[in-house]
Amino acid sequence: MSISTLRRSARETVSGLPPGFWWLWLSTLVNRTGAFVLTFLSLYLTLELGHSAWFAGLVVALHGLGGVAGSPLGGVLTDRWGRRPTMVTMHLAGAACAAALAFVTSAWGIAAVVLLMGVAMQAVRPPINATIADMVPAHDVRRAYALNYWALNLGFAIASIGGGAAAFLGYRTLFVVDAVATVLCAVIVFLRLPETRPERPAPTEEKSTAGEKSAAEEKVSTLTVLRDAPFRTLVLLNLLVCLVFTTPWIGLPLTMADQGLPASSYGVVIAVNGIVIVGFQLLVNKLTDKRSPVLLLALSSLLFALGTGATALAGSSVAFAATVVVWTVGEMIHVPTNAAATARLAPEHARGRYQGVMGMSWAVAGFVAPILAGAIVDGPGPDVLWAATGAIGVLAAAGYATRLRKALAEDEDAVAAPVPVPGPVPSPAPAPVVVKGGDAEEAEGSPVGA
């Protein structure tokens, strides 16, 4: 493949998206570039403060538990309060928690701060995902989610490298830098990102299409979201995939240690995950663009099953790294496709709640999977753990293929139909978002040459 072909492919991948998306993309990159807390928290607790490894694990689990509450909270605020106010508030709350960690030294004080940080960090995801769905045309939504996920991983890679190099300044300094970066992210959102929450039609207005409910009947609560059968299936299947995806982060180092490999080997092996995402996310997105979401979700589940299941057969660092490559490709396919499927199934005025419930499945897996993985490794052993993840991945793939084919296929037909798709994005207008409440300056220009 020639250089000119690669450049043309890169231009096609990033072209055609509204300027507001690129400001959101930039805020994600800035936020994740300064994300030092979770990366170095366990080391800070054990090496700096002298706490046990058990306590460090508990604190990290509390961060996930906070996310279980934060995701639906962020979804409700996104729909009721607005996308931008929710993002700004939760970013500032996360920054306050990061700064507090630089000064709080009591064990339970740290635990409380990390729990609140989990709430804030997870609550910001629904408005981000809802904003992307609001401002990006339906046929480009999956590509936009993939690009935002790429920014997240690029920023995390920079944070991991930079944080490791700057650790000699002290962990508290890193936490302050994290707080500053998060505040800068909030400033970018406040100054450059317009509000995109769609206006709800008046309660008396009736839909023109026969058989559709009136706007008054379309009010959506979190309970309504949970009663949406196709979406509930999507959430439950995503929970299965998340359990498989989260397991290697605790099971892999334990398995490698069980085989006598040093801790440094795990650091090299797991770094493959970030390297592959940063290096190949755009290429994977290009290859999977316009593919059926059901096909992509089933394929990604099988890749998770193959990659994690094969871990039981690995016996060297190279073999373990190869398994990481396989499930990382599954991750690159699954994350943007699942977010786009969520956006498609959600009514436009309830996108926040739908994204919040979906985010809760990630948070639940982040809390449960490490506990289960540790218990299985200590009990039946690593081989049982990896066999279980392989089976769960195959089960999820079968579920996507059989339970969601009709729902997502019908939605694809609606997106592809020649009739305009209702929503906040009027077609060729230069400002592709509906702005509320008069704070509507259009974001001019793009911070990255899209």
Side-chain angles (χ1 to χ4, degrees):
M1 185 178 290
S2 65
I3 298 297
S4 60
T5 302
L6 290 174
R7 287 177 177 173
R8 183 171 62 255
S9 178
R11 281 197 300 270
E12 291 174 355
T13 301
V14 302
S15 64
L17 297 173
F21 168 79
W22 291 109
W23 287 110
L24 185 62
W25 185 94
L26 179 63
S27 71
T28 297
L29 180 63
V30 170
N31 189 28
R32 295 300 292 180
T33 299
F36 299 117
V37 170
L38 287 182
T39 306
F40 296 96
L41 182 59
S42 60
L43 294 176
Y44 171 65
L45 292 172
T46 54
L47 300 181
E48 181 84 3
L49 300 183
H51 293 294
S52 65
W54 173 86
F55 179 77
L58 173 63
V59 170
V60 173
L62 286 175
H63 185 276
L65 184 62
V68 174
S71 189
L73 172 64
V76 171
L77 292 178
T78 296
D79 290 336
R80 288 186 178 178
W81 196 9
R83 279 61 160 147
R84 189 173 68 166
T86 304
M87 274 189 271
V88 171
T89 301
M90 293 305 167
H91 279 314
L92 292 178
C97 291
L101 283 177
F103 304 99
V104 176
T105 57
S106 70
W108 297 112
I110 291 173
V113 170
V114 172
L115 178 67
L116 293 175
M117 177 179 281
V119 174
M121 289 183 65
Q122 195 65 32
V124 83
R125 297 184 186 276
I128 290 174
N129 286 339
T131 298
I132 292 173
D134 291 339
M135 66 170 51
V136 175
H139 62 276
D140 282 330
V141 164
R142 200 190 71 81
R143 177 162 64 96
Y145 282 127
L147 287 168
N148 197 64
Y149 188 65
W150 181 63
L152 187 151
N153 281 278
L154 178 60
F156 181 76
I158 295 172
S160 299
I161 296 171
F168 68 91
L169 296 174
Y171 294 105
R172 290 181 174 86
T173 301
L174 295 182
F175 298 156
V176 171
V177 172
D178 190 330
V180 172
T182 308
V183 169
L184 179 58
C185 174
V187 170
I188 293 173
V189 170
F190 181 75
L191 294 180
R192 305 304 305 174
L193 198 66
E195 176 58 62
T196 64
R197 178 163 62 105
E199 295 279 7
R200 182 188 292 275
T204 56
E205 180 183 339
E206 297 290 331
K207 295 282 185 177
S208 59
T209 305
E212 289 190 313
K213 294 180 180 180
S214 69
E217 296 174 318
E218 290 186 343
K219 292 181 180 179
V220 177
S221 66
T222 301
L223 185 60
T224 309
V225 175
L226 295 174
R227 289 173 176 167
D228 184 336
F231 179 68
R232 186 173 65 242
T233 301
L234 183 69
V235 171
L236 292 175
L237 291 173
N238 185 68
L239 177 59
L240 293 180
V241 173
C242 292
L243 289 172
V244 176
F245 168 63
T246 308
T247 295
W249 299 94
I250 183 68
L252 186 57
L254 296 176
T255 301
M256 293 179 67
D258 187 63
Q259 296 197 12
L261 295 172
S264 58
S265 296
Y266 169 71
V268 174
V269 167
I270 203 61
V272 171
N273 174 260
I275 293 170
V276 171
I277 292 175
V278 172
F280 297 99
Q281 178 71 67
L282 299 185
L283 175 61
V284 169
N285 185 60
K286 180 68 176 177
L287 294 175
T288 57
D289 195 27
K290 312 304 181 187
R291 306 291 183 184
S292 163
V294 171
L295 172 65
L296 294 177
L297 290 170
L299 174 61
S300 64
S301 300
L302 291 176
L303 289 171
F304 276 120
L306 177 61
T308 59
T311 306
L313 306 176
S316 66
S317 295
V318 173
F320 282 115
T323 67
V324 172
V325 170
V326 174
W327 60 256
T328 297
V329 176
E331 176 188 355
M332 290 190 288
I333 296 173
H334 179 85
V335 172
T337 305
N338 182 71
T342 300
R344 287 181 176 187
L345 292 178
E348 65 178 22
H349 62 278
R351 283 172 175 156
R353 285 180 173 85
Y354 272 69
Q355 293 288 355
V357 172
M358 179 58 70
M360 190 166 57
S361 67
W362 287 91
V364 169
F367 178 69
V368 172
I371 298 173
L372 291 179
I376 294 174
V377 169
D378 285 341
D383 289 351
V384 174
L385 175 67
W386 302 118
T389 58
I392 293 172
V394 172
L395 178 64
Y400 284 122
T402 59
R403 305 296 298 174
L404 287 175
R405 181 178 299 277
K406 182 179 179 181
L408 293 182
E410 286 178 349
D411 193 75
E412 275 190 303
D413 293 340
V415 172
V419 296
V421 179
V425 185
S427 55
V433 294
V434 173
V435 181
K436 283 181 62 104
D439 50 43
E441 52 204 85
E442 177 186 346
E444 298 177 1
S446 169
V448 293

